[in-house]
């Protein structure tokens, strides 16, 4: 994901700057809660439904049941970064920490070799074990998929969509005050506890002390790096050529396709190399003065578009009738198109209203 495109984030980096969330001129509570609720609902849908994991009749239970954990995490990560005046590097690193926390400590799917045995993905176990990390008993391929999906689908894409629907003045400001953050924190903890204690969540599996220690250390390391002061002081934006946002989205879609080319250790190596390369390219481009919110939207939505396209080719976790499965895939397409087109239209309308060029200025 790109670094923050809008220079409006920089004044917040000062430790003496007033907290926008506590400013008396902030929007009324109702307006500030709308994006919070939107992110609370969109995060679980993007994480579990956008790629075809559930038939249409399971959408609502998934969103309601996993909203506190997935949505709560997305809100806390977004609010932490915006309150610190930090940008997308902080969000991505905190999203990675959440991915490891979720898969390693909460549902422990990362360490449970039989986690998918009661689903229609039971036949993926052999492929996962082809990249088993000695001594720690987890598949590096599954770690890449689980944590990567949490970064891109659970956290980053929902934040990009919701922020793109907001005006430029509200996009990078916190939505909640301290009491609101406390409430969301409790909601997230309760949602995670529900998954941890539920037979359908952790599936009565408990990782070894070594595995739990490893996951904890990785989470703490990622959080520590995410909170470094350097992310609150972005480098000066440079004058360099920036491609059209659609080219950015196309690049990410192609890389998404390339991460599944080969199984085993070779496939993991290719996937990691491609992810690192596209991350470096996006970071380089986003430092240009002509990088704007539409580029951010293209980068963030490309992952959801890729997931939605493959929804027709993968089965849901639990067996479903062909009609229900197809209805779910069609619903995924409709929701994805509505999000992408709606956010794009919102940015274009804002650019026309403010008189800014459609490309070349931060939205």
């Amino acid at each position: 994901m790109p670094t923050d495109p809008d220079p409006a984030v920089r004044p917040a980096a000062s430790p003496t700057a007033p907290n926008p969330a506590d400013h008396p001129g902030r929007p009324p509570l109702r307006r500030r809660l709308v994006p919070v609720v939107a992110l609370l609902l969109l995060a679980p849908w993007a994480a579990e439904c956008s790629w075809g994991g559930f038939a249409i009749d399971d959408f609502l239970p998934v969103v309601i049941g996993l909203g506190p954990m997935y949505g709560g995490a997305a809100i806390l990560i977004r609010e932490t970064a915006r309150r610190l005046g930090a940008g997308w590097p902080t969000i991505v690193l905190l999203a990675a920490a959440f991915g490891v926390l979720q898969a390693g400590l909460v549902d422990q799917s990362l360490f449970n070799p039989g986690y998918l045995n009661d689903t229609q993905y039971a036949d993926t176990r052999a492929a996962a074990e082809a990249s088993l990390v000695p001594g720690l008993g987890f598949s590096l391929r599954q770690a890449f998929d689980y944590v990567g999906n949490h970064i891109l689908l659970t956290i980053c894409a929902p934040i990009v969509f919701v922020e793109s629907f907001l005006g430029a003045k509200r996009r990078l400001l916190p939505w909640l005050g301290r009491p609101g953050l406390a409430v969301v924190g409790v909601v997230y903890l309760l949602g995670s506890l529900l998954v941890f204690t539920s037979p359908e969540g952790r599936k009565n599996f408990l990782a070894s002390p070594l595995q739990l220690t490893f996951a904890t250390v990785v989470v703490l390391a990622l959080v520590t790096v995410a909170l470094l002061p350097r992310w609150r002081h972005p480098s000066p934006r440079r004058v360099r050529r920036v491609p059209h946002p659609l080219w950015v989205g196309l690049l990410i879609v192609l890389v998404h396709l390339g991460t599944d080319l080969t199984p085993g250790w070779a496939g993991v190596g290719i996937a990691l190399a491609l992810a690192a390369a596209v991350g470096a390219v996006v970071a380089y481009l986003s430092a240009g003065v002509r990088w704007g919110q539409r580029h951010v939207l293209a980068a963030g939505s490309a992952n959801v578009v890729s997931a939605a396209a493959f929804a027709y080719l993968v089965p849901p976790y639990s067996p479903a009738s062909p009609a229900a499965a197809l209805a779910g895939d069609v619903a995924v397409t409709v929701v994805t198109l509505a999000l992408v087109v709606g956010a794009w239209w919102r940015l274009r309308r804002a650019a026309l209203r403010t008189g800014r060029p459609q490309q070349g200025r931060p939205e």
Side-chain angles (χ1 to χ4, degrees):
M1 293 297 297
T3 57
D4 248 315
D6 199 322
V9 73
R10 292 174 188 166
S14 172
T16 60
N19 191 334
D22 299 325
H23 195 277
R26 60 182 174 170
L29 180 62
R30 178 181 58 81
R31 289 190 64 197
R32 287 185 285 117
L33 286 181
V34 169
V36 172
V37 174
L39 189 53
L40 186 71
L41 300 178
L42 185 56
W45 180 86
E48 298 292 350
C49 302
S50 66
W51 54 272
F54 289 91
I56 190 169
D57 50 349
D58 290 325
F59 279 15
L60 186 59
V62 166
V63 169
I64 293 176
L66 296 179
M69 181 175 62
Y70 287 160
I75 295 167
L76 292 173
I77 288 171
R78 190 264 174 198
E79 291 295 285
T80 298
R82 298 315 184 199
R83 279 178 164 270
L84 292 175
W88 281 103
T90 293
I91 292 177
V92 170
L93 288 167
L94 289 177
F98 165 74
V100 177
L101 176 66
Q102 169 63 31
L105 299 175
V106 180
D107 65 30
Q108 301 187 16
S109 56
L110 184 62
F111 301 119
N112 184 354
Y115 189 79
L116 297 176
N117 283 355
D118 58 347
T119 72
Q120 296 198 88
Y121 292 88
D123 58 353
T124 63
R125 180 172 177 177
E129 291 179 346
S131 58
L132 208 61
V133 177
L136 290 172
F138 72 90
S139 166
L140 192 58
R141 173 80 248 185
Q142 284 186 332
F144 178 85
D145 291 339
Y146 292 170
V147 178
N149 283 342
H150 280 309
I151 294 173
L152 300 175
L153 295 180
T154 308
I155 307 298
C156 291
I159 292 175
V160 168
F161 279 127
V162 175
E163 289 190 343
S164 295
F165 275 96
L166 299 177
K169 293 182 179 179
R170 298 176 59 200
R171 186 171 300 137
L172 302 180
L173 295 178
W175 299 329
L176 297 172
R178 291 182 178 86
L181 285 176
V183 171
V184 174
V186 171
V187 168
Y188 166 70
L189 291 175
L190 291 176
S192 298
L193 182 62
L194 177 63
V195 171
F196 180 80
T197 57
S198 169
E200 294 79 18
R202 188 165 49 88
K203 301 187 177 181
N204 298 316
F205 172 86
L206 187 62
S208 70
L210 177 61
Q211 292 172 327
L212 296 175
T213 301
F214 171 78
T216 302
V217 170
V218 173
V219 170
L220 293 177
L222 288 168
V223 171
T224 300
V225 176
L227 299 181
L228 289 176
R230 62 167 299 178
W231 307 122
R232 309 174 205 178
H233 303 282
S235 302
R237 297 170 70 87
R238 303 176 184 274
V239 178
R240 60 175 51 139
R241 186 175 181 180
V242 175
H244 190 278
L246 293 180
W247 288 110
V248 176
L250 180 60
L251 171 65
I252 294 177
V253 169
L254 293 176
V255 169
H256 186 276
L257 297 176
T259 56
D260 290 321
L261 287 177
T262 308
W265 287 103
V268 174
I270 293 173
L272 289 172
L274 287 174
V278 75
V281 169
V282 171
Y284 173 82
L285 294 175
S286 65
V289 294
R290 298 180 66 85
W291 181 275
Q293 183 64 21
R294 288 174 302 160
H295 294 88
V296 179
L297 175 61
S301 61
N303 299 288
V304 180
V305 171
S306 301
F310 278 94
Y312 293 89
L313 303 179
V314 300
Y317 280 119
S318 301
S321 68
L326 179 60
D329 297 339
V330 172
V332 165
T333 300
V334 171
V335 173
T336 301
L337 288 176
L339 289 170
V340 175
V341 174
W344 194 273
W345 174 82
R346 177 67 179 85
L347 293 177
R348 178 180 175 83
R349 182 172 175 237
L352 293 175
R353 186 173 60 249
T354 58
R356 292 179 177 178
Q358 293 182 29
Q359 183 176 352
R361 294 284 300 277
E363 300 288 355

